[in-house]
Amino acid sequence: MDTGVDVGSGAHHRPARDRLWPVLPLAAAAWWVVGALPWTIDGLGARSPRNWPYDVATGSATDGYISLLPFTTARLGLLLTITLVGGAAAALATLWVRRRTGRRLALVALATLGALTTAAYTVAQSAGATRQLGSDFDRDDRVILGVLAIAVVGTVLGLALGLLVALGGPVLRALAAAPLAVALGSWVSAVVVALLGLERSQGLLQWAAVVVGVAEGLALAGLGLRPARRLLAWAAVLVLLSVCAAGQTAFSYLASYLRPRSGLPNGLRHHVEASRDVFVAALSPANQAWGVHLVAIVVGLLGSLVLWRRPGRPPRPSRPSGPGSAAEARPRRTTVPADDRHADATIS
């Protein structure tokens, strides 16, 4: 008997965006493909081709060896940027699933597993290559352990911040976007340098600050201006942006001293104290990047206005006022008349 209902395989086909499993490979790929893009464009750290005949003749392979991550102290800043942006990109893979209600825990687990799997492989390969072919300083167990800690902390922190941006509320999303915006500016600068070289990219590197301001401004736009207490969140986001920028400056200063013939390990405490002074100095009003804050505020205000006046935005329900408003606002119950059994009767 033909009922006219198609019960084939296509009747119960789930849309691809409703499936959870793609989050795992997307997060795994995003961590390295997106995060390590500056390092990949740079040829994995080898700007010039290897001189293989020389290597075979001399038995030396210390120049231009392939490493999936910049696993040396000279590139600690780039390593931290790669892991932060990579972790955030892996977390954004959760946006693949359109309907996330009730499945956030599964999405977080899949994104975390994908990011940590890729991070574990690339870190192991990079540490092994550096241990075998790096310089005497970079092959030191204490140095490798420190670089490993930076890679792990950057990955976990970037993943946590990215998950807050993807799944958190407006306030948490804006706060988590502040350190990621600073890392994004460094990431864009690294991509430009890898593409053009350091000398040719000097004129473009100053625009990295604009990237930071725009990225944070978009987060402020999502935060909005209503209710009025959101203005306190705006101030907190801008303060956090300054703190993160100062922390980046202090970390770069410290990384510049983590090299041979710099008094390590005895002078490490002195370098850390000097970096703390740099951090405090970077927080002073004279050293603030006020242009970045201005760009963030302007973009945030314009974005808030666009979102507020967006067509199709449902109007906010108005509360009735007056003594009889409560009774008038309450829906009236109407009685449905009973069926008349004699409706079809004929009067004779």
Side-chain angles (χ1 to χ4, degrees), residues 95-185:
L95 299 178
W96 164 265
V97 181
R98 289 180 296 189
R99 302 173 184 176
R100 301 189 299 270
T101 305
R103 297 188 289 179
R104 290 191 175 187
L105 185 59
L107 288 173
V108 170
L110 289 173
T112 303
L113 180 61
L116 294 183
T117 300
T118 306
Y121 174 80
T122 54
V123 166
Q125 187 276 339
S126 304
T130 302
R131 185 184 295 274
Q132 295 179 9
L133 305 174
S135 63
D136 293 338
F137 179 81
D138 292 326
R139 286 186 296 179
D140 190 285
D141 291 338
R142 293 166 295 183
V143 174
I144 289 182
L145 183 61
V147 178
L148 175 64
I150 294 298
V152 173
V153 170
T155 297
V156 174
L157 182 59
L159 183 63
L161 294 174
L163 289 173
L164 288 177
V165 171
L167 304 176
V171 176
L172 288 178
R173 186 183 303 122
L175 291 172
L180 292 181
V182 175
L184 181 62

Side-chain angles (χ1 to χ4, degrees), residues 24-48:
L24 177 62
L26 286 175
W31 187 89
W32 192 77
V33 174
V34 176
L37 183 62
W39 187 245
T40 307
I41 296 176
D42 192 44
L44 300 180
R47 286 191 174 88
S48 58

Side-chain angles (χ1 to χ4, degrees), residues 91-314:
L92 294 182
T94 57
L95 299 178
W96 164 265
V97 181
R98 289 180 296 189
R99 302 173 184 176
R100 301 189 299 270
T101 305
R103 297 188 289 179
R104 290 191 175 187
L105 185 59
L107 288 173
V108 170
L110 289 173
T112 303
L113 180 61
L116 294 183
T117 300
T118 306
Y121 174 80
T122 54
V123 166
Q125 187 276 339
S126 304
T130 302
R131 185 184 295 274
Q132 295 179 9
L133 305 174
S135 63
D136 293 338
F137 179 81
D138 292 326
R139 286 186 296 179
D140 190 285
D141 291 338
R142 293 166 295 183
V143 174
I144 289 182
L145 183 61
V147 178
L148 175 64
I150 294 298
V152 173
V153 170
T155 297
V156 174
L157 182 59
L159 183 63
L161 294 174
L163 289 173
L164 288 177
V165 171
L167 304 176
V171 176
L172 288 178
R173 186 183 303 122
L175 291 172
L180 292 181
V182 175
L184 181 62
S186 299
W187 183 86
V188 171
S189 298
V191 170
V192 172
V193 171
L195 287 172
L196 304 178
L198 185 58
E199 295 182 359
R200 296 175 58 188
S201 61
Q202 289 295 330
L204 296 176
L205 292 181
Q206 58 185 350
W207 293 98
V210 178
V211 174
V212 177
V214 171
E216 192 55 44
L218 294 176
L220 292 176
L223 181 59
L225 296 171
R226 302 179 65 182
R229 61 176 178 271
R230 288 287 175 87
L231 295 179
L232 296 177
W234 277 56
V237 168
L238 295 176
V239 169
L240 183 59
L241 187 67
S242 297
V243 172
C244 294
Q248 182 188 52
T249 302
F251 181 80
S252 300
Y253 179 85
L254 177 62
S256 65
Y257 282 95
L258 300 180
R259 51 182 173 77
R261 297 180 296 277
S262 60
L264 295 177
N266 297 330
L268 180 59
R269 183 173 181 176
H270 173 73
H271 299 328
V272 172
E273 292 176 352
S275 301
R276 181 192 59 192
D277 296 338
V278 170
F279 174 76
V280 174
L283 288 176
S284 64
N287 295 322
Q288 289 298 310
W290 297 112
V292 176
H293 292 81
L294 180 60
V295 171
I297 293 174
V298 171
V299 173
L301 291 176
L302 294 177
S304 300
L305 182 62
V306 170
L307 293 177
W308 181 62
R309 303 189 64 176
R310 183 176 54 187
R313 184 183 180 94

